Amino acid sequence: MTETPQSPENLPARPGATPEPVQRGERTGMFGARDTGDTSGYGGLRTPILFPAAAVRPYGGDFDVIADAVEAAIPDGHVERVVVDRGELTFVVARENLAAVARALRDDPALRFELCLSVSGVHFPADAGKELHVVYHLMSLTNDGRRIRVEVTAPDADPHIPSVVATYPAADWHERETWDMFGVIFDGHPALTRIL
């Protein structure tokens, strides 16, 4: 009997270990030129496109306390994975669960992430079926200025993500900018119009 090799993304890591990043593509040349337009002399460079892998407990510091509170407040399956990278804690959430997760993050007494600092759009063409990423930067004024990120993905072919404006009114213009720049349609936004 032969075993099917597992991808690095699915390999178990020992608790507290920093998992190796997952390669999702490769950038060529100094400036990403794909044809003969690279006149920099660096056309032969190959740079892997690396995504951080799911983190393994213990995360360290307040991250474990926050993760415990998230697990207690949010139903199983709503958070797809937790990433700890460059000193930041990110909860990756399926887009259909975003509204419920945002409300729990704001309203649960152990969490109280009352402030949405920004909404960022990112386009990863090589991430098939998840090309569009939207990242919400949240802060808890109640709990000593703790910060987290919530990340949601959508495919280019179906760029719909629920709006969080009902939960975080400050996300209004941020979602408009992300729609204007990246084409992400925020379903339920009160006035999704061009901002730039």
Side-chain angles (χ1 to χ4, degrees):
M1 178 169 108
T2 60
E3 289 186 23
T4 306
Q6 293 184 336
S7 69
E9 191 172 43
N10 298 327
L11 287 175
R14 64 185 198 282
T18 303
E20 291 296 319
V22 178
Q23 184 170 342
R24 296 278 177 95
E26 184 177 62
R27 186 173 294 117
T28 59
M30 181 70 146
F31 304 103
R34 289 180 167 53
D35 57 13
T36 58
D38 186 355
T39 59
S40 67
Y42 294 100
L45 290 177
R46 301 267 186 261
T47 307
I49 298 171
L50 302 174
F51 280 39
V56 179
R57 291 269 200 150
Y59 304 139
D62 280 348
F63 291 171
D64 288 298
V65 173
I66 296 168
D68 289 341
V70 166
E71 286 176 10
I74 296 172
D76 284 342
H78 277 47
V79 175
E80 294 178 344
R81 67 187 159 110
V82 178
V83 175
V84 177
D85 186 51
R86 298 169 204 209
E88 296 181 320
L89 177 65
T90 304
F91 295 95
V92 180
V93 175
R95 61 182 169 169
E96 61 270 11
N97 300 325
L98 178 61
V101 168
R103 275 191 307 276
L105 289 171
R106 183 195 65 188
D107 296 342
D108 187 271
L111 295 166
R112 288 281 189 228
F113 287 95
E114 306 100 337
L115 183 59
C116 179
L117 298 171
S118 70
V119 180
S120 306
V122 187
H123 188 234
F124 292 107
D127 198 12
K130 297 180 178 185
E131 295 88 359
L132 295 167
H133 292 230
V134 177
V135 182
Y136 298 84
H137 304 260
L138 306 178
M139 181 172 146
S140 174
L141 300 172
T142 302
N143 294 311
D144 301 322
R146 290 178 175 164
R147 294 177 185 230
I148 62 167
R149 299 178 342 150
V150 175
E151 186 170 345
V152 182
T153 65
D156 275 337
D158 181 23
H160 291 267
I161 290 177
S163 174
V164 299
V165 170
T167 304
Y168 294 110
D172 182 353
W173 284 22
H174 295 277
E175 287 185 352
R176 286 177 57 201
E177 182 181 27
T178 304
W179 169 72
D180 204 3
M181 299 297 289
F182 292 92
V184 176
I185 300 166
F186 292 93
D187 297 328
H189 189 284
L192 196 59
T193 56
R194 291 183 64 99
I195 197 168
L196 299 175

